[in-house]
DNA sequence: GATACTGTTGACACCGGTGTCAAGTTGACG
DNA sequence: CGTCAACTTGACACCGGTGTCAACAGTATC
């Protein structure tokens, strides 16, 4: 019942604790015989090394912080699960840190998190990945961090601190998706269905992905030889209500679009609601698509064609980058999820 | 730039490290003068005690594990946030552990979690709160844990181990809500709107809350002098699709109910879909209510009247119980959230 | 056979705190 | 003024691991 420490194991195996430590860490220069002997004692006594003691000795905490925006977005569980899977594999623990991205003492609380908890690494998710002051602070703290879904890189984001310029070795890794490409493909898909009057609902103007998704839409139109119609491009805010507003606006046009591409699923849901109120049949009179593959996309009626980003994989890759102390920029691909809300264009009866 | 440890502080303040430690922990028997002096040095050097070192010395990890079911249920973020708020206050960290409740090596992985990570406490959420073998294992490991939303107590859940009976001091605390009461009130609310043909969609038969919610429904009917109609009581599985099935079943009845109370919001969403397909207007021809106040409830159209449990508060209370080493059973109240999916009964035109 | 080199092992200090205990200081009381 | 108790403080061991370095093989080189 008493605790099994390295000392107990050492005594039991008739070797020094240092040798036990060597076996623990798979260090070279241990004879096969002693290694076997010690390993046998591990099993016999059910020995578990103490992460706390190891942490003290090596100045590590085996803790990784995950920072994400507070609102209960559904994708946070994907991020968490992706990050967790790698953490568990490598003996690290994940500390989740929902923070309001508009909070005044955001910098302070993240600094406190870093210094107080002695984290071994920090994962930033949008919109934190692109906060210049935050990055500058982390660089100055000499923190190890990885940015997920970032849109700014290089000198645009890494502060140049006059006294002590950021060293090259200090560049943080990134794991990103390609929203522009995904939006391009979604738009191309709508065009391939025969639509040429495609409305677009932009996202919140402060959010960096907004511009990327919009760009993808525009490029696809142009690539198909279509000309964008300003009436068809409206400004949303990423929430359900703004989706309704934009839907009303687009669907009240005399020459209304036959397809609407909303920059996220919540806004697409708002459009579906307006369409239903107006008696416009989706998908046959109107195709609607979203972005993000939020849980709601499956439950809507009709279920929503959307873009699924590899969130879980991205989070997992982020942790791997972090632990490998890499400084690469990794890009991962999104996929189209085609459901019931899109159909070939049918000319009005 | 070099690390500020307790030794540095001690030297700087001209006292022993033990005295610094005393100030850190607000121990008595330190003169006001030295206490002030040391605290001044804390500020001057920006000293932060190392949780790792403290943990090694006191045999604590300052880690608390949170176990919940893997599926991306929306309420997990409420649980997480509630638990986090208290953890942060008290200097603990929260380790999240999504586990599939049907997993074969569930016991093994939780045992591993407990022993490997040297947790200071464990929070069990449904359905883990009521797993007898799990509780038995934790009792045997002498683990500190708290059960959230449990339905079984006392000898029904605490295993009686022959060799070494569970000591009274070892009873785990619980934090629970009152689903039966909430279901009672929701049903009473529907009755108060004039409905007397109220359908009920039961939840997954394995889930303990299923019975509680059903009981509340029945008791409210009886309290109002109504007689339950077996045709109006159907078996769901807590998911969207089963909601559709149950909705079709109930709404195909010759004498169909004028209100349907689904045991959760996803099933209620399925019913809304079927009602929409059948051209039955909600809320005027049919009132629909759910349970749980899932995010979807706000986004549905019409938005859903439902029951909101104080999830966040329960999780916070759970951590507090755990850290206080209490063994109380705390019950917290749910509230009705009335939205657009319910309206007074209108006799058919 | 002496020398150098590689591989194996353990003694010991150290990480940054806390617990124990004894020594020094102070003040109350007889 | 001496005695004793209460308060204040520090020396030192300890928590359970890792890093450094030296001692001691055993083997290759000349």
């Amino acid at each position: 019942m008493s605790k099994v420490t390295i000392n107990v194991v050492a005594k039991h195996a008739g070797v020094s604790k240092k040798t036990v430590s060597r076996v623990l860490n798979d260090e070279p220069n241990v004879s096969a015989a002693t290694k076997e002997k010690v390993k046998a004692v591990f099993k016999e006594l059910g020995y578990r090394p103490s992460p706390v003691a190891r942490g003290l000795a090596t100045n590590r905490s085996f803790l990784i912080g995950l920072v994400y925006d507070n609102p209960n977005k559904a994708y946070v569980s994907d991020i968490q699960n992706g990050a967790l899977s790698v953490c568990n594999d490598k003996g690290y623990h994940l500390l989740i840190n929902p923070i309001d991205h508009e909070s005044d003492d955001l910098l302070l609380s993240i600094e406190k998190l870093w210094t107080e908890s002695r984290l071994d690494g920090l994962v930033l998710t949008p919109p934190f990945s692109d906060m210049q002051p935050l990055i500058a602070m982390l660089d100055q703290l000499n923190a190890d961090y990885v940015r997920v879904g970032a849109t700014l890189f290089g000198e645009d984001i890494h502060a140049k601190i006059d006294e002590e310029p950021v060293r090259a070795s200090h560049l943080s890794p990134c794991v990103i998706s390609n929203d522009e490409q995904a939006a391009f493909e979604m738009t191309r898909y709508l065009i391939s269905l025969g639509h040429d009057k495609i409305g677009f609902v932009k996202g919140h103007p402060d959010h960096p992905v907004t511009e990327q998704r919009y760009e993808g839409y525009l490029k696809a139109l142009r690539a198909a030889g279509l000309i964008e119609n300003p009436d068809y491009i409206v400004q949303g805010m990423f929430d359900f209500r703004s989706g309704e507003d934009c839907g009303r606006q687009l669907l009240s046009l005399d020459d209304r679009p036959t397809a609407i591409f909303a920059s996220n699923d919540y806004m697409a849901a708002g459009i579906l609601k307006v369409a239903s109120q107006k008696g416009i049949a989706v998908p046959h009179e109107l195709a609607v698509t979203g972005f993000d593959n939020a849980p709601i996309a499956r439950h809507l009626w009709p279920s929503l064609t959307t873009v699924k980003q590899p969130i879980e994989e991205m989070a997992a890759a982020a942790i791997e980058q972090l632990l490998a102390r890499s400084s690469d920029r990794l890009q991962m691909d999104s996929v189209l999820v085609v459901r019931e809300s899109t159909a070939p264009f049918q000319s009005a009866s």
Side-chain angles (χ1 to χ4, degrees), chain A residues 64-68 80 84 94-98 113:
Chain A
I64 290 181
L66 173 66
V67 176
Y68 55 89
Q80 290 177 353
L84 273 176
L94 188 70
L95 298 188
I96 56 175
N97 275 84
L113 169 68

Side-chain angles (χ1 to χ4, degrees), chain A residues 77-99:
Chain A
S77 81
D78 288 333
I79 297 181
Q80 290 177 353
N81 290 342
L84 273 176
S85 66
V86 179
C87 283
N88 287 342
D89 278 358
K90 314 239 172 178
Y92 282 76
H93 287 309
L94 188 70
L95 298 188
I96 56 175
N97 275 84
I99 299 184

Side-chain angles (χ1 to χ4, degrees), chain A residues 95-160:
Chain A
L95 298 188
I96 56 175
N97 275 84
I99 299 184
D100 182 354
H101 75 281
E102 288 179 327
S103 152
D104 290 333
D105 43 27
L106 184 151
L107 286 181
L108 209 67
S109 56
I110 294 187
E111 174 172 12
K112 203 176 145 191
L113 169 68
W114 175 259
T115 57
E116 208 119 314
S117 300
R118 313 281 171 108
L119 301 182
D120 287 346
L122 202 55
V123 180
L124 302 183
T125 64
F128 300 98
S129 316
D130 280 321
M131 289 186 177
Q132 208 278 334
L134 174 58
I135 304 300
M137 186 192 73
L138 291 176
D139 282 343
Q140 213 156 8
L141 287 173
N142 217 348
D144 284 320
Y145 62 96
V146 55
R147 300 185 294 139
V148 177
T151 59
L152 300 176
F153 308 101
E155 298 195 343
D156 289 339
I157 186 77
H158 282 284
K160 282 161 290 187

